[in-house]
Amino acid sequence: MPKRFSSVVGRSFGDGVRDAIQSTGMTQRRIAELLDWEEAKVSDLVKGKGGVTEVEVATLLGLCQTEAGELRRLLALFKETREKGFLQFGDEDGVPDQLRTLISQERLATKIFVWAMNLVPGLLQIPQYSFEVVRAVPTIKPEQVGEVVAAREARRAIFHPSREFTFYVHEQALRLQVGSAQLMAAQLQDLLLMSIRPCVRVRVVPHSIGVHAGLAGSFTKLGFEKFEPVVFVETHNLSLFLEDKGSITVYDEVLKALAAQALDEEQSREVITRLLT
């Protein structure tokens, strides 16, 4: 029976199908002809609208000679039909699927809000800092570290004046030493440079306030021009993309409270500068 997707699932699935088709060198029209489909059916599929059966998906991917691992990933996405969120478990090979999905959603987002309680936010990490963080994760194999770090580093390409980035960072995340003292100094210096970009706001939640609104843990909220907002929450072995209005409202309240508790941008830069001396 044809299925429709939630927005994150649909966009991730559609992007994967588009890549599979492009890898063949054929147009969507030619693919439709070979499958005896209407071209609009293929178009809807790459736009993440669904409307196909699992057999039809498998047939299309078979025609495209999609690599086995990617075929399994896309079929798993196809079977994911939750309307309130998208739960994604970790992958044992290569870049975790949840990171790939997050990257694809970040590229589409026009407004990104991040709350980071324990570490410098991933989007603001320099490669050496990211390397130390990634290799400390027990679920990532040593031979996978380089690939994951490269994928995380590529995320920084999304910084553009046409977008808005707001980072709320707890002071403890800036004080936690990752790697050597020299590495931490380099990371904090880069954070200062990023904070003066017109499209980037970095605001520190100071130790001195004690308990705060973000105690439940770090998260990212993604805002889009053409889609409803999404909240991304990550644990050791899974991630959750929340899309329902109730969840978005809850996280908006947390962001509102953090905005009231955090230092302003200039005060935040002063904190970072003091940590460098």
Side-chain angles (χ1 to χ4, degrees):
M1 182 178 182
K3 292 184 178 181
R4 298 284 173 178
F5 303 113
S6 64
S7 58
V8 173
V9 175
R11 291 194 292 272
S12 297
F13 178 79
D15 288 345
V17 173
R18 181 183 295 106
D19 290 344
I21 292 173
Q22 289 178 347
S23 71
T24 68
M26 292 186 283
T27 64
Q28 292 181 24
R29 174 175 295 180
R30 181 54 180 158
I31 290 290
E33 290 174 351
L34 291 173
L35 293 172
D36 196 24
W37 291 1
E38 294 291 331
E39 186 177 353
K41 187 170 182 175
V42 178
S43 178
D44 283 348
L45 201 56
V46 299
K47 291 177 182 177
K49 295 182 178 180
V52 294
T53 66
E54 184 174 357
V55 171
E56 288 174 323
V57 172
T59 301
L60 184 150
L61 296 176
L63 176 63
C64 296
Q65 296 185 328
T66 304
E67 184 268 335
E70 178 65 359
L71 188 147
R72 287 193 296 270
R73 186 182 77 88
L74 290 174
L75 288 178
L77 281 174
F78 175 80
K79 294 175 183 177
E80 175 60 64
T81 58
R82 292 188 179 94
E83 295 181 356
K84 291 190 174 183
F86 173 34
L87 181 67
Q88 205 169 24
F89 287 88
D91 189 3
E92 294 182 357
D93 300 312
V95 178
D97 283 347
Q98 58 264 46
L99 177 56
R100 289 202 289 176
T101 303
L102 175 61
I103 290 171
S104 69
Q105 299 306 306
E106 285 175 337
R107 288 172 179 166
L108 294 172
T110 54
K111 293 184 179 181
I112 296 180
F113 299 85
V114 177
W115 161 234
M117 193 164 65
N118 299 311
L119 293 167
V120 171
L123 279 170
L124 297 176
Q125 292 177 8
I126 61 175
Q128 301 94 322
Y129 183 101
S130 183
F131 176 83
E132 296 295 337
V133 171
V134 171
R135 75 170 182 168
V137 178
T139 55
I140 296 179
K141 300 174 183 177
E143 61 270 22
Q144 297 172 338
V145 171
E147 184 182 1
V148 175
V149 170
R152 289 163 68 107
E153 171 63 9
R155 294 168 66 194
R156 289 170 67 105
I158 68 172
F159 286 106
H160 189 274
S162 64
R163 296 175 170 181
E164 296 178 22
F165 301 85
T166 302
F167 298 91
Y168 296 104
V169 186
H170 197 280
E171 187 178 343
Q172 70 185 15
L174 306 178
R175 292 182 176 276
L176 178 67
Q177 184 161 319
V178 174
S180 67
Q182 292 79 9
L183 171 55
M184 281 304 301
Q187 175 63 78
L188 293 176
Q189 287 169 348
D190 187 79
L191 187 59
L192 275 178
L193 290 174
M194 292 296 296
S195 74
I196 63 176
R197 289 194 181 191
C199 64
V200 176
R201 290 188 291 274
V202 176
R203 298 185 59 190
V204 175
V205 175
H207 265 305
S208 59
I209 70 169
V211 295
H212 51 79
L215 287 173
S218 304
F219 64 88
T220 297
K221 180 189 173 186
L222 306 170
F224 308 91
E225 282 189 357
K226 299 180 180 180
F227 311 113
E228 294 300 311
V230 173
V231 169
F232 172 76
V233 182
E234 186 177 25
T235 69
H236 283 293
N237 69 327
L238 58 83
S239 60
L240 181 62
F241 293 85
L242 296 165
E243 305 174 72
D244 64 291
K245 291 183 179 179
S247 294
I248 300 301
T249 298
V250 168
Y251 282 92
D252 279 344
E253 289 298 314
V254 174
L255 287 171
K256 181 179 178 181
L258 287 171
Q261 295 172 331
L263 302 173
D264 64 28
E265 293 175 67
E266 187 56 40
Q267 291 170 326
S268 297
R269 280 191 282 270
E270 290 173 2
V271 169
I272 299 170
T273 300
R274 283 200 301 272
L275 290 173
L276 277 166
T277 58

